[in-house]
Amino acid sequence: RRHSMNMFWRAYATLALLVVNAPAGAFDYTGVYKMTVATSDPEAALSFVTKYLSATEKAQPHPGGDGTCALVKWALFPGSEYQMHFVNTFQKPQGDWTLTEYGEYMDDLHRGVVGIDAFMNNRVKLFFTDLDGVVEKLQEGGEELRVFRNAGDGTYSVMTLVPTGVVIECVGSLSEDSLAQLEIMEWSFCSLDSVSSLTSRHLTPAADLDDGVWPLAAVYAVSDGNSTAEFFTEVLSASLASEARTDDDCANIYVLDIPGTESQLGYTYQVHLVDAPLSPSGTLKVSDYEDYLNNLHGDIQDLDNDHYDSYMDNHIGLYIQSGDDVINELQSLDIPFFTRCNGGSTCYANVTETSSVAEGLEGDNFTADVFLQVGNTGIIYEVLGPVSEDILEEGFTQWDLCGPNFT
């Protein structure tokens, strides 16, 4: 039943020609919802972001997510109401590399290098109106932090190492008092002598910006930035804001705007693709990790809960205007995807003994989760939007964190 996504990627060049001629606006974005992160210790991750990064815990709705079948912790950030979901679906497939082993590898790698390693390019980028407060709390807690100067706009990026293996980049202004206590580093994908801050956007936050935390970008480490950027522009309706090669040809960086996601911050949400083959990565190359994910994910078309693997819980979450448009587009292009019900208690298995997937969900306000994979990167991409009764009648799979239900 399951096979590698490489078969799809080999056919991508042909599909891309169809995408160019497809109706515009299938991915008609309306906002940024969250980032879901697979981690072996969701409680530790939640504790970190609530203690240091101004988040509060938000109740999660999944039956079994209390540690019975999985451990799910949701964090809500002030101002923007952006969310991060930390998830360990320990009953789901993980392959030969468990989330515990993954977290230990990434923690050791991140803490063992000076500057940026290749896998730190898998991270969330957030703007903080009070970055001084973040730095003060991290220092008081004895946490490791790395501070980088962003060229041109007077802001700084504070890299925080969240247990286990999670990286959050905190962006904002720092006072002279804070700067006097910190070692400031320069961006580099080669050596610390090489300056590269190509993803800086010369941030000037809106004057009426509420205090809080605002999503800026999702950053991904990739082995083929060009092909991945093409998928984002030609399939996912992103636009290429800039493309650049770093000093000494050490990395390619592609900066993509996600239209329709402007926030009170005054900026469009972005995706940054970093192809940095010379950055340290330990014994595992980025391409090796992509291959692992491809093989683990397999054929994702109409994926059931038994084959939803734990690493799929590394995914972005963006709101869209119409789930119908996205589903119809992906079907017309023969791009593999799967959906989940999202709209009420009947969207979750184990709530009632026997309930129809569609029971109680008819209506224009029903929301569906649509998941696809970005080329052969292993990156899972989620969009959420309302669907019509016509689409609803085709049926949606409920969320079920328990299982797999086969031997």
Side-chain angles (χ1 to χ4, degrees):
R1 177 191 179 279
R2 295 163 62 78
H3 59 80
S4 171
M5 277 291 293
N6 289 334
M7 293 180 63
F8 160 71
W9 188 247
R10 286 196 296 267
Y12 171 67
T14 301
L15 293 175
L17 296 176
L18 297 174
V19 174
V20 171
N21 295 317
F27 284 81
D28 187 4
Y29 300 97
T30 60
V32 181
Y33 171 35
K34 51 113 179 189
M35 178 67 77
T36 298
V37 179
T39 173
S40 63
D41 195 344
E43 287 184 332
L46 176 67
S47 177
F48 187 98
V49 298
T50 55
K51 182 176 182 179
Y52 298 119
L53 304 185
S54 303
T56 56
E57 183 174 4
K58 179 179 173 64
Q60 65 84 28
H62 291 272
D66 58 357
T68 304
C69 300
L71 189 57
V72 181
K73 295 294 182 180
W74 287 11
L76 179 69
F77 290 89
S80 64
E81 298 190 349
Y82 177 76
Q83 296 182 30
M84 291 191 71
H85 299 172
F86 303 106
V87 181
N88 183 1
T89 50
F90 47 77
Q91 291 189 359
K92 300 302 181 183
Q94 297 184 7
D96 297 329
W97 205 29
T98 67
L99 288 183
T100 297
E101 293 168 328
Y102 168 87
E104 290 173 348
Y105 181 91
M106 293 304 167
D107 278 345
D108 290 344
L109 176 65
H110 298 337
R111 298 183 191 280
V113 302
V114 176
I116 299 289
D117 64 69
F119 286 100
M120 289 180 76
N121 293 318
N122 288 319
R123 65 180 186 270
V124 175
K125 187 171 183 177
L126 304 175
F127 181 86
F128 287 76
T129 56
D130 182 18
L131 191 58
D132 286 307
V134 172
V135 168
E136 181 179 359
K137 286 184 283 188
L138 288 168
Q139 289 176 319
E140 290 177 350
E143 299 290 341
E144 181 177 351
L145 65 160
R146 300 170 194 178
V147 185
F148 295 84
R149 188 192 321 274
N150 294 321
D153 62 5
T155 66
Y156 295 82
S157 288
V158 178
M159 292 290 184
T160 60
L161 306 182
V162 182
T164 55
V166 180
V167 179
I168 299 178
E169 178 184 351
C170 308
V171 181
S173 299
L174 289 173
S175 66
E176 292 298 327
D177 289 341
S178 292
L179 292 171
Q181 304 175 50
L182 298 168
E183 177 185 355
I184 307 301
M185 306 174 73
E186 306 291 350
W187 288 103
S188 174
F189 297 95
C190 305
S191 69
L192 294 180
D193 297 326
S194 175
V195 178
S196 178
S197 54
L198 299 171
T199 60
S200 175
R201 280 196 278 176
H202 306 289
L203 287 169
T204 305
D208 60 348
L209 181 66
D210 292 338
D211 290 340
V213 182
W214 301 85
L216 283 174
V219 185
Y220 293 103
V222 297
S223 65
D224 187 345
N226 185 61
S227 294
T228 308
E230 286 181 358
F231 191 99
F232 269 94
T233 57
E234 296 177 353
V235 176
L236 301 177
S237 303
S239 60
L240 187 64
S242 66
E243 174 185 346
R245 181 173 285 273
T246 64
D247 299 326
D248 300 323
D249 293 346
C250 289
N252 282 321
I253 299 177
Y254 299 81
V255 178
L256 298 134
D257 286 330
I258 307 298
T261 59
E262 295 82 359
S263 68
Q264 187 186 353
L265 182 61
Y267 293 89
T268 300
Y269 191 68
Q270 292 185 332
V271 168
H272 299 171
L273 306 175
V274 183
D275 181 358
L278 298 184
S279 293
S281 62
T283 59
L284 183 75
K285 296 179 180 179
V286 170
S287 59
D288 295 331
Y289 182 54
E290 291 174 335
D291 289 342
Y292 181 81
L293 294 179
N294 279 319
N295 291 327
L296 181 62
H297 297 340
D299 180 9
I300 70 167
Q301 183 62 46
D302 300 324
L303 192 74
D304 59 26
N305 283 301
D306 290 342
H307 294 94
Y308 183 103
D309 66 74
S310 293
Y311 284 87
M312 287 182 169
D313 285 317
N314 288 313
H315 60 257
I316 200 170
L318 300 173
Y319 291 117
I320 51 173
Q321 185 71 36
S322 169
D324 292 47
D325 290 347
V326 167
I327 290 170
N328 291 330
E329 176 90 338
L330 295 175
Q331 288 175 335
S332 71
L333 297 172
D334 198 25
I335 293 178
F337 72 97
F338 63 95
T339 60
R340 287 295 182 270
C341 170
N342 189 341
S345 62
T346 51
C347 284
Y348 304 98
N350 308 314
V351 176
T352 57
E353 291 185 0
T354 56
S355 62
S356 168
V357 172
E359 181 181 353
L361 298 175
E362 291 81 359
D364 294 335
N365 294 325
F366 171 66
T367 300
D369 298 331
V370 183
F371 294 86
L372 66 151
Q373 179 170 301
V374 179
N376 65 351
T377 62
I379 296 170
I380 298 297
Y381 194 85
E382 177 192 5
V383 293
L384 306 89
V387 294
S388 66
E389 292 186 17
D390 289 341
I391 293 290
L392 183 61
E393 289 174 356
E394 298 179 10
F396 284 83
T397 302
Q398 294 170 305
W399 281 109
D400 186 356
L401 301 185
C402 301
N405 300 305
F406 60 87
T407 58

